[in-house]
């Protein structure tokens, strides 16, 4: 009987365009398109910022030798014509108004035994790559002046740099790549899993109340818990399907649409399609999606209209998305404490799984916490579904 209810509700759900769009179209089509467009513009903006010919403003009091050096910079710096200003205040205003891209005020420091200069750069921090260009110019001049000074003093560079350091990264390639994408993938799974659960939950409970078909269903000689189980199974299936289609969307982005990713990152993305990773991901995602369904059903049952249910469940998305963002921040790892925090434990466990650093005891702890929460949410849903005041408008 539960399977019959599940099949009937699933067919009705799949006939709903809104559910199909959020469960299939957005994850598998729109998500890859948005990802590719974002990656293209980010890369294009970075290239344009590094190759753009920039105008530099200098104060008239700047030493003439420095102005000549700016004009003779290699072509790779893409420097345009210099503009002179009477003082640093007018130069700063010119940068703020966009008349010049960078402003340079150079001073010769007084009261020093050797000639020293101080560079003060004026930069609009909202523009991409300008501060990096200023740093590159400063480093170029720094190297030139150091070389000239050492030649004048008859000193070889290695004589004043007796210590050389070499840094060896001991982390494996898997661990490095897992840290890069380990926060993105679970975030996507959780976000789409929540969205996939949301609209079926509203339609199967609040929607039936609005259509007046709920009373007919409750009059059937079927135990109420069987009805609830069948409906919740559809919600869970929709959440898992949305997360799965998001995974397919990532695969399409990486494999067919030419997404500009590093080869190592692309290889790590392909790892999520391996059976072992899929099994572990399903173990973590299933109780989480059941938990989502368990907190949505009571709201959908008590709401009097589709719009009311949507306005009540929608803000819950923020409570899910914000903890899921912990994967983007370094320093957070799966341990005895974080394994007890819902959503966070799923993100960190997935991240550790991709990095190859997953400790089984913490995985069991995280899984146990999510199973407990899923069971409690289902029990709460059952009690709310059993109240006649919630079922009849």
């Amino acid at each position: 009987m539960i399977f019959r209810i599940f099949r009937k509700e699933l067919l009705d759900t799949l006939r709903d365009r809104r559910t199909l769009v959020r469960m299939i179209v957005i994850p598998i089509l729109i998500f890859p398109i948005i990802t590719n467009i974002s990656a293209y513009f980010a890369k294009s903006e970075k290239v344009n910022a590094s190759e753009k010919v920039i105008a530099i403003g200098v104060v008239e009091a700047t030493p003439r030798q420095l102005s000549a050096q700016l004009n003779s910079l290699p072509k790779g710096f893409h420097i345009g014509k210099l503009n002179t200003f009477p003082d640093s205040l007018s130069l700063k205003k010119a940068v703020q108004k966009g008349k010049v891209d960078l402003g340079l005020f150079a001073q010769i420091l007084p009261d020093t035994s050797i000639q020293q200069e101080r560079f003060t750069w004026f930069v609009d921090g909202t523009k991409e790559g300008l501060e990096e260009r200023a740093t590159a110019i400063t480093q170029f001049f720094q190297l030139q002046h150091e070389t000239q000074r050492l030649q004048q003093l008859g000193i070889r560079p290695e004589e004043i740099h007796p210590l050389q350091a070499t840094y060896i990264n001991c982390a494996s390639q898997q661990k490095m790549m897992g840290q890069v994408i380990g926060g993105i993938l679970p975030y996507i799974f959780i976000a789409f899993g929540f969205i996939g659960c949301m609209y079926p939950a509203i339609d199967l409970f609040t929607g039936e109340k609005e259509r007046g078909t709920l009373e007919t269903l409750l009059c059937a000689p079927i135990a109420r818990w069987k009805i609830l189980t069948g409906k919740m199974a559809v919600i869970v299936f929709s959440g898992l399907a949305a997360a799965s289609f998001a995974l397919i969307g990532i695969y399409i982005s990486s494999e067919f649409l030419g997404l500009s990713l590093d080869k190592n990152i692309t290889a790590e993305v392909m790892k999520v399609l391996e059976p072992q990773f899929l099994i572990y991901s399903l173990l973590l995602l299933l109780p989480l999606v059941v938990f989502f369904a368990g907190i949505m059903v009571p709201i959908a049952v008590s709401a009097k209209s589709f719009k009311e249910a949507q306005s009540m469940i929608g803000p819950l998305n923020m409570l899910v998305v914000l903890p899921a963002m912990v994967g983007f921040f370094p320093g957070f790892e799966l341990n005895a404490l974080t394994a007890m925090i819902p959503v966070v434990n799923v993100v960190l466990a997935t991240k550790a799984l991709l990095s190859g650093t997953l400790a089984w005891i913490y995985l069991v702890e995280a899984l146990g916490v999510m199973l407990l929460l899923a069971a409690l949410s289902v029990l709460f849903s059952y009690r709310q579904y059993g109240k006649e005041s919630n079922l009849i408008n």
Side-chain angles (χ1 to χ4, degrees), residues 221-265:
I222 307 171
R224 190 163 295 184
W225 70 269
K226 292 184 179 180
I227 298 175
L228 178 63
T229 302
K231 289 177 175 290
M232 289 193 71
V234 174
I235 298 172
V236 172
F237 174 83
S238 300
L240 291 175
S244 300
F245 283 119
L247 182 62
I248 296 174
I250 295 173
Y251 175 77
I252 293 173
S253 298
S254 303
E255 194 73 8
F256 300 109
L257 298 185
L259 181 62
S260 299
L261 289 173
D262 182 85
K263 291 183 179 180
N264 294 323
I265 297 179

Side-chain angles (χ1 to χ4, degrees), residues 193-205:
F194 185 90
I195 295 173
C197 290
M198 180 176 174
Y199 285 90
I202 298 174
D203 184 68
L204 293 177
F205 292 94

Side-chain angles (χ1 to χ4, degrees), residues 353-364:
L353 181 62
L354 283 170
S355 302
T357 59
L358 182 63
W360 296 106
I361 186 171
Y362 298 142
L363 174 63
V364 172

Side-chain angles (χ1 to χ4, degrees), residues 274-293:
E274 296 178 359
Q276 183 180 5
F277 180 84
L278 291 175
I279 292 172
Y280 289 137
S281 298
L282 183 62
L283 283 175
L284 291 167
L285 194 60
L286 180 58
L288 180 65
V289 174
V290 173
F291 172 68
F292 289 161

